[in-house]
């Protein structure tokens, strides 16, 4: 078959310069811009016009380049983010506004957002929030919650420079923001060399099937493929996973597939060839499949060594639950469920690899470079030192990019062919095969005495972990610890179980199962408060944990348990909102206003196990300070807050730090970016490194502990007692001075009843939402969120706000619209995530109670932000309508049905 380059040519003006490119007029404009013109600032997130990341201006109007034929650009003006920022003063001011407001987190949606905003700014229309939301409504963001983006566009006329200097406590601009706002940022699919071959997986069309591969050598010769990969080509172990004892997922299946989309083979060759391949020689035999835990005990075993399809169980017990329930004056109970939730990061998984002698190098979007390194080494049968992982910028992760996806395919192909090989998932491939938030089926009972104090709680949760374990054991063990919420519960029993089914694996997703348990616990709290006749906030305030109280695992915190402070911060807003809702409802019959509240907590880091991070830093003979920071930034801000902590400890400005980002050859293991651990754990390692390096500098200069360190053109100066001297550094190869420091949080294992100290730090939060329910339609309109978060110490307050807003956006998706249905919702127009019009104004109240373990008192934050959101919304719906939705998402049909069932329809 012919793979000749296209004979057609397309001429147009690109960012002010004429171009004449060889391209098929029917090719997507996005592909021509990226592949032929090198404009990798045009991002591809879906190739269906759903995400808007590829938005460009065509004769000044915003269009999705993935839906625009290249021929439509003939003789016209095309402008992209990079060209606009380089040429247009308005775009440059917008870029600065994005920096000032931290409107770019991961940055993958930023090109589409900025290009759409420029079209609005050029229109001359007066700006307000509604116009901005309308202009940017075609671009999806999964990180920011949109509020900072709106603020940046409204502030785009300002010439103010972003704040760049400041240590702990300063809202400086993200240190990695300029590449994101200027168009120079490179994500997983932006970095492969032009001559790289492409690998594509052959995947099962059935939830469960046996398969027989045909004559692959004949097929390869017929098609001209460079390589066909099957399980027999794997030189090491054909298994990967993340939890020891649960390494159970094959790179390529053998004989039988366990979920729809599982790979059985992969083809490698030029991309143009792969687009024209005939049907792959594989014979499928569909087998009975089970998709829910309900029938798992009677279904065929997904794994022969896991009886009744049980992956694992979790358990926490304290006190005497039977006695506590018997003594309760009031009890409530209920059943609740949530479905699969897709991470829906805008960047699909992508990687490329090359063989360098007896080593393999993989560049990829990942949250866990060292975990990737060790897993790839196992697959290839190599020593881990023979594998190098170089993370690219990561266009959102939220947990799913902890697992291997594209990495083993490109590593294996590059290893065998000794040629560079690349792979990027399609959006359908990404949604169909990546890990999900665990579906949950929960029953829960809670009792309280006549005064409203909790007497007992009983929790039983079943979680669909899919075909493979992934992070399922973490969820099963974390949920029983957290299902009490941040409340003093003297008698407690919580059971959890992870069940295998024939679905895509469930894994890590922002909260590791805790948002699901909060949906049950916080709704029951409202029901219990109503039964007792107490104000819902007052009920929570009465029962919340204080310093000195034991948690349900028996752990006692002397400092840092700030949930009472969060509720106190909400109290005036709560009183106002209730009064306004009462007045509104008195005058309206078809629409009713409700106010909801919920609390939440989250233990930062791994549960009851070693969880270290290591930071390296050095001073060059010329006096430059270099920080080797291996904590991957997936949009949460570690590339900024870790240097802020280090700079504060060292005593210099953060702008004077030269940052070396994650690279397993250059940066020590800072652990995975998950479990809200990086600010707390890697931040502590950075603090220790900064202090150690400062001590070396002061010792070398023979000055006191309070001396000031200044970096000048001629090197490092030390000022002590009013006398300044230039420090003489050793003139050596490498670093003149060097430190490497680690931090591992103090935890204790849990016993058979789940008693122990699983986390050194808990972050706490309380959120309040105001909303309206249309009683006739069941639709819900969110009006306002007020969120109080105890972060111990805000290293970068603006970053805290961004995390809270982004978490709330994901939480409202969980509550109102999101549910992945295997085999059905494998794109971003059937699987709905919140848009810019769905997220209301959010006020963040930062609580700083301090923590004895955190760096400068700081705690982690990422997971906490969405834990109370869904239950607060559900509680507000009930307050407005009198009806409760126990099975998410609370779509209008479910809300309307609940209203009718309650007899509350007006």
């Amino acid at each position: 078959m012919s793979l000749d380059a296209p004979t057609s040519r397309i001429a147009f003006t690109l960012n002010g310069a004429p171009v004449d490119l060889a391209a098929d007029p029917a090719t997507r404009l996005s592909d021509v811009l990226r592949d032929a013109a090198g404009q990798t600032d045009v991002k591809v997130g879906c190739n269906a016009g759903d995400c808007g990341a590829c938005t460009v201006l065509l004769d000044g109007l915003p269009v999705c380049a993935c839906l625009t034929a290249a021929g439509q650009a003939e003789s016209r003006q095309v402008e992209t983010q990079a060209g606009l920022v380089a040429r247009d003063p308005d775009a440059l001011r917008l870029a600065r506004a994005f920096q000032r407001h931290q409107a770019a987190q991961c940055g993958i949606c930023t090109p589409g957002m900025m290009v759409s905003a420029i079209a609005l700014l050029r229109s001359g229309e007066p700006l307000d929030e509604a116009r901005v939301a309308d202009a940017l409504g075609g671009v999806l963001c999964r990180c920011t919650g949109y509020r900072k983006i709106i603020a940046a566009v409204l502030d785009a006329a300002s010439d103010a420079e972003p704040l760049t200097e400041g240590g702990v406590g300063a809202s400086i601009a993200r240190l990695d923001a300029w590449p994101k706002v200027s168009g120079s940022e490179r994500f997983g699919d932006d970095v492969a060399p032009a001559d790289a071959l492409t690998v594509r997986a052959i995947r099962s069309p059935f939830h469960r099937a046996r398969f027989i591969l045909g004559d692959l050598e004949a097929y390869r010769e017929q098609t001209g493929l460079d390589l066909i990969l099957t399980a027999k080509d794997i030189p090491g172990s054909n298994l990967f996973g993340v939890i020891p004892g649960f390494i159970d997922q094959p790179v390529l299946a053998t004989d039988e597939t366990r979920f729809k989309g599982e790979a059985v083979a992969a083809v490698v060759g030029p991309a143009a060839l792969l687009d024209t391949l005939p049907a792959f020689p594989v014979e499928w035999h569909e087998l009975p499949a089970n998709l829910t835990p309900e029938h798992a005990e009677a279904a065929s075993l997904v794994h022969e060594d896991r009886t009744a399809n049980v992956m694992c169980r979790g358990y926490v017990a304290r006190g005497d639950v039977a006695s506590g329930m018997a003594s309760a004056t009031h009890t409530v109970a209920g059943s609740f469920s949530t479905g699969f939730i897709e991470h829906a990061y805008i960047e699909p998984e992508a990687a490329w690899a090359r063989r360098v002698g007896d080593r393999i190098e993989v560049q990829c979007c990942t949250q866990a470079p060292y975990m990737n390194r060790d897993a790839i080494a196992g697959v290839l049968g190599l020593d881990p030192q023979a594998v190098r992982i170089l993370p690219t910028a990561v266009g959102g992760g939220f947990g799913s990019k902890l697992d291997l996806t594209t990495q083993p395919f490109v590593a294996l192909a590059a290893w065998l062919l000794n040629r560079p090989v690349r792979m990027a998932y399609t959006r359908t491939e990404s949604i169909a095969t990546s890990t999900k938030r665990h579906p949950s089926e929960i029953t829960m009972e809670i009792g309280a005495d006549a005064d409203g104090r909790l007497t007992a709680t009983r929790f039983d949760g079943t979680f669909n972990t899919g075909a493979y374990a992934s992070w399922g054991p973490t969820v099963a063990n974390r949920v029983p610890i957290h299902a009490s919420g941040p409340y003093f519960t003297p008698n407690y029993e919580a059971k959890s179980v992870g069940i295998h089914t024939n679905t895509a694996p469930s894994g890590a997703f922002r909260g590791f199962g805790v948002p699901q348990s909060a949906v049950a616990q916080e709704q029951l709290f409202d029901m219990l408060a109503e039964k007792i006749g107490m104000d819902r906030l007052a009920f929570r305030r009465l029962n919340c944990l204080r310093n000195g109280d034991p948690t349900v695992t028996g752990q006692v915190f002397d400092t840092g348990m700030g949930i009472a402070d969060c509720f106190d911060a909400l109290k005036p807003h709560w009183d106002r909102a209730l009064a306004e809702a009462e007045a509104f409802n008195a005058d309206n019959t078809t629409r009713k206003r409700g106010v909801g509240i919920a609390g939440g907590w989250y233990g930062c880091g791994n549960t009851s196990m070693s969880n270290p991070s290591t930071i390296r830093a050095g001073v060059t003979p010329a006096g430059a300070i270099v920080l080797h920071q291996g904590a991957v930034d997936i949009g949460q801000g570690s590339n900024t807050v870790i240097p802020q902590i280090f700079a504060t400890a060292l005593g210099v400005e953060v702008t004077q730090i030269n940052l070396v980002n994650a690279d397993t050859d250059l940066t020590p293991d800072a652990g995975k970016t998950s479990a809200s651990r990086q600010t707390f754990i890697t931040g502590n390692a950075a603090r220790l490194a900064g202090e150690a390096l400062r001590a070396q500098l002061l010792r070398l200069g023979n000055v006191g502990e309070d001396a000031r360190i200044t970096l000048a053109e001629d090197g490092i100066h030390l000022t002590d007692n009013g006398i300044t001297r230039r420090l003489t550094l050793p003139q050596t190869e490498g670093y003149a001075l060097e430190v490497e420091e680690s931090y591992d949080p103090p935890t204790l294992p849990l016993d058979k009843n789940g008693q122990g100290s699983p986390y050194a730090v808990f972050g706490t939060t309380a959120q309040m939402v105001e909303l309206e329910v249309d009683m006739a339609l069941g639709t819900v309109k969110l009006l306002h969120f007020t969120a109080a978060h105890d972060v111990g110490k805000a290293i970068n307050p603006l970053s805290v706000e961004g995390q809270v807003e982004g978490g709330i956006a994901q939480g409202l998706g969980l509550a109102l619209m999101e549910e992945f249905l295997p085999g059905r919702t494998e794109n971003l127009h059937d699987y709905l995530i919140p848009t810019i019009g769905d997220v209301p104004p959010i006020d963040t109240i930062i609580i700083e109670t301090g923590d004895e373990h955190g760096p400068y008192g700081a705690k982690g934050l990422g997971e906490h932000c969405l834990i109370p959101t869904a239950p607060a919304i559900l509680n507000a719906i009930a307050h407005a309508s009198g009806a409760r939705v126990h099975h998410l998402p609370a779509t209008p049909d479910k809300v309307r049905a609940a209203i009718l069932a309650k007899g509350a329809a007006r």
Side-chain angles (χ1 to χ4, degrees):
M1 60 189 64
S2 173
L3 295 176
D4 294 339
T7 56
S8 300
R9 302 194 70 83
I10 299 172
F12 56 93
T13 301
L14 176 60
N15 293 325
V19 294
D20 189 332
L21 305 173
D24 184 336
T27 302
R28 299 177 192 270
L29 179 59
S30 53
D31 290 342
V32 171
L33 290 173
R34 286 176 58 84
D35 299 337
Q39 291 293 153
T40 55
D41 56 315
V42 179
K43 306 303 181 186
V44 175
C46 67
N47 267 338
D50 295 322
C51 74
C54 66
T55 301
V56 300
L57 297 184
L58 187 60
D59 285 346
L61 296 177
V63 299
C64 282
C66 74
L67 296 184
T68 304
Q72 292 179 268
E74 178 70 38
S75 301
R76 299 173 74 181
Q77 300 274 344
V78 176
E79 295 171 283
T80 72
Q81 178 203 24
L84 286 165
V85 173
R87 298 170 53 248
D88 185 333
D90 287 338
L92 180 59
R93 279 191 289 271
L94 178 65
R96 297 299 189 197
F98 265 63
Q99 288 181 285
R100 286 195 303 276
H101 291 272
Q102 290 194 14
Q105 287 189 17
C106 82
I108 191 70
C109 75
T110 304
M113 290 290 184
M114 288 184 59
V115 168
S116 299
I118 286 298
L120 172 63
L121 295 174
R122 287 178 174 177
S123 73
E125 294 182 22
L127 296 185
D128 57 29
E129 182 172 320
R131 281 194 175 91
V132 173
D134 184 59
L136 274 59
V139 186
L140 294 177
C141 174
R142 193 60 157 167
C143 292
T144 66
Y146 302 102
R147 304 306 306 178
K148 292 288 184 279
I149 294 172
I150 293 172
V153 178
L154 292 174
D155 192 33
S158 172
D159 288 317
E161 290 294 322
L163 180 65
T164 58
E165 294 188 344
V168 167
S171 288
I172 66 170
R174 289 171 178 257
L175 300 184
D176 55 1
W178 181 248
K180 301 177 192 298
V181 301
S182 67
S184 62
E185 187 70 283
R186 294 294 175 261
F187 295 88
D189 198 34
D190 298 335
V191 293
D195 63 342
L197 298 173
T198 297
V199 57
R200 290 183 188 164
I202 307 300
R203 300 184 180 276
S204 171
F206 303 108
H207 296 297
R208 180 176 172 234
R210 291 195 188 96
F211 65 94
I212 302 172
L213 298 174
D215 189 340
L216 300 185
E217 183 56 27
Y219 182 79
R220 190 192 66 77
E221 291 181 357
Q222 170 199 352
T223 57
L225 287 167
D226 288 79
L227 183 65
I228 298 175
L229 295 170
T230 66
K232 65 179 178 60
D233 298 302
I234 295 173
S237 172
N238 185 26
L239 287 175
F240 67 91
V242 292
I243 307 292
F246 295 90
I247 310 299
D248 59 3
Q249 185 166 355
V251 177
L252 294 165
T254 57
D255 301 325
E256 182 180 316
T257 58
R258 295 179 170 100
F259 72 95
K260 183 180 182 292
E262 184 164 15
V264 300
V267 294
V268 186
L273 171 62
L274 301 189
D275 289 337
T276 62
L277 289 177
F280 189 80
V282 58
E283 182 180 317
W284 299 101
H285 299 276
E286 187 176 6
L287 296 172
N290 176 50
L291 305 184
T292 65
E294 179 184 4
H295 305 294
E297 188 171 353
S300 298
L301 293 179
V302 179
H303 298 274
E304 292 298 326
D305 60 343
R306 295 177 188 167
T307 304
N309 283 310
V310 172
M311 177 199 62
C312 73
R313 300 180 185 273
Y315 185 68
V316 172
R318 184 170 181 82
D320 185 337
V321 171
S323 174
M325 287 297 180
S327 67
T329 308
H330 305 281
T331 62
V332 292
S335 297
F336 306 84
S337 68
T338 63
F340 284 109
I341 303 296
E342 160 65 19
H343 295 76
Y345 27 71
I346 306 305
E347 177 204 24
E349 298 83 347
W352 80 279
R354 66 173 181 169
R355 182 170 179 170
V356 182
D358 291 330
R359 303 186 79 216
I360 193 78
E361 293 185 353
V362 181
Q363 217 173 346
C364 57
C365 50
T366 178
Q367 297 176 232
Y370 273 83
M371 291 178 66
N372 281 194
R373 183 198 70 169
D374 295 348
I376 292 297
V379 170
L380 295 184
L382 299 174
D383 185 283
Q385 297 300 323
V387 180
R388 182 183 187 185
I389 303 295
L390 299 94
T392 62
V394 181
F398 317 114
S400 190
K401 287 177 183 173
L402 292 165
D403 295 77
L404 291 183
T405 53
T406 55
Q407 298 95 321
F409 292 105
V410 295
L412 181 59
W415 183 259
L416 295 176
L417 290 172
N418 197 19
R419 290 190 58 181
V421 178
R422 70 189 299 170
M423 185 180 198
Y425 279 5
T426 65
R427 176 55 61 182
T428 295
E429 195 174 18
S430 174
I431 294 181
T433 66
S434 64
T435 60
K436 305 287 176 280
R437 184 182 295 283
H438 285 72
S440 65
E441 297 171 8
I442 292 168
T443 59
M444 194 170 189
E445 182 182 13
I446 305 175
D449 65 20
D451 295 325
R453 293 191 180 275
L454 295 173
T455 61
T457 294
R458 184 180 287 117
F459 174 95
D460 200 333
T462 299
F463 295 85
N464 184 350
T465 203
Y468 300 106
S470 182
W471 293 90
T474 302
V475 169
N477 284 287
R478 185 177 280 267
V479 167
I481 298 169
H482 287 78
S484 65
Y487 305 98
F488 177 65
T489 310
N491 303 293
Y492 179 80
E493 183 180 51
K495 302 176 183 177
S496 65
V497 61
I499 300 293
H500 283 299
T501 63
N502 295 117
T503 64
S506 297
F509 190 167
R510 205 172 192 173
F512 284 94
V514 182
Q516 294 96 303
S517 66
V519 164
Q521 171 258 314
E522 287 288 337
Q523 286 203 82
L524 289 175
F525 267 30
D526 258 29
M527 295 163 63
L528 193 53
E530 181 180 358
K531 204 170 186 179
I532 297 168
M534 286 186 69
D535 174 85
R536 292 172 286 154
L537 186 151
F539 174 79
R540 289 169 169 83
R541 180 65 173 76
L542 174 68
N543 285 289
C544 66
L545 287 163
R546 276 86 169 172
N547 293 324
D549 288 339
T551 69
V552 292
T553 69
Q555 188 172 9
V556 175
F557 289 89
D558 296 323
T559 64
M561 188 55 67
I563 183 62
D565 302 85
C566 294
F567 285 127
D568 289 345
L570 290 186
K571 182 65 164 61
H573 305 277
W574 175 253
D575 292 341
R576 171 199 54 77
L578 287 176
E580 290 178 359
E582 183 177 5
F584 180 89
N585 292 340
D587 296 332
N588 288 274
T589 56
T590 59
R591 290 181 297 128
K592 293 294 182 179
R593 187 165 292 183
V595 186
I597 194 168
W601 67 336
Y602 193 83
C604 300
N606 291 355
T607 304
S608 295
M609 60 187 298
S610 179
N611 188 22
S613 284
T614 302
I615 285 285
R616 177 187 174 209
V619 180
T620 69
I625 297 173
V626 184
L627 175 65
H628 294 252
Q629 198 280 100
V632 175
D633 195 322
I634 60 174
Q636 88 285 13
S638 60
N639 278 347
T640 302
V641 299
I642 302 302
Q644 279 184 273
I645 292 169
F646 174 78
T648 296
L650 180 58
V652 302
E653 271 298 333
V654 70
T655 52
Q656 298 174 316
I657 305 298
N658 298 286
L659 187 61
V660 176
N661 284 318
D663 175 341
T664 57
D665 273 12
L666 300 178
T667 56
D669 188 1
K672 60 189 184 299
T673 295
S674 72
S676 299
R677 63 178 298 283
Q678 292 295 16
T679 296
F680 165 44
I681 300 176
T682 303
N684 259 327
R687 175 184 60 81
L688 293 171
E691 291 171 351
L693 190 58
R694 176 180 176 83
Q696 285 195 22
L697 289 168
L698 300 186
R699 190 181 309 116
L700 186 63
N702 195 27
V703 295
E705 292 182 0
D706 296 330
R708 186 174 74 252
I709 300 173
T710 306
L711 274 63
E713 289 187 6
D714 62 343
I716 295 176
H717 292 199
L718 301 176
T719 301
D720 189 24
N721 293 323
I723 300 173
T724 299
R725 70 183 75 179
R726 179 178 175 274
L727 183 64
T728 301
L729 291 166
Q731 299 300 298
T732 63
E733 291 187 9
Y735 290 126
L737 301 173
E738 185 173 356
V739 298
E740 186 169 288
E741 296 289 336
S742 298
Y743 178 77
D744 195 359
T747 62
L748 293 174
L750 301 181
D751 66 17
K752 65 179 182 179
N753 288 320
Q755 298 299 293
S757 299
Y759 312 105
V761 168
F762 276 91
T764 55
T765 171
Q767 293 180 1
M768 185 192 89
V769 62
E770 301 162 68
L771 55 76
E772 289 179 9
V773 176
D774 188 305
M775 301 296 283
L777 300 177
T779 54
V780 176
K781 180 182 180 182
L782 300 172
L783 302 175
H784 195 272
F785 276 94
T786 308
H789 284 260
D790 174 26
V791 299
K793 172 66 178 178
I795 304 299
N796 187 309
L798 194 57
S799 180
V800 169
E801 292 177 7
Q803 283 293 286
V804 171
E805 291 166 8
I808 285 175
Q810 290 186 344
L812 74 87
L814 167 67
L816 298 177
M817 65 186 69
E818 294 188 43
E819 184 175 21
F820 169 72
L821 302 174
R824 292 174 55 187
T825 55
E826 297 173 350
N827 52 66
L828 290 175
H829 54 265
D830 291 322
Y831 186 87
L832 301 179
I833 67 171
T835 69
I836 199 169
D838 294 315
V839 183
I842 299 168
D843 286 335
T844 300
I845 303 171
I846 298 175
I847 307 295
E848 297 180 300
T849 63
D851 186 87
E852 62 180 321
H853 298 295
Y856 301 103
K859 306 176 183 181
L861 177 65
E863 327 277 326
H864 316 75
C865 303
L866 67 76
I867 289 169
T869 306
I873 291 171
L874 297 169
N875 285 337
I877 291 171
H879 179 235
S881 67
R884 286 207 167 270
V885 178
H886 285 210
H887 306 289
L888 298 186
T891 50
D893 60 312
K894 290 183 183 177
V895 174
R896 175 61 178 164
I899 292 171
L900 293 175
K902 187 71 175 178
R906 301 293 194 272

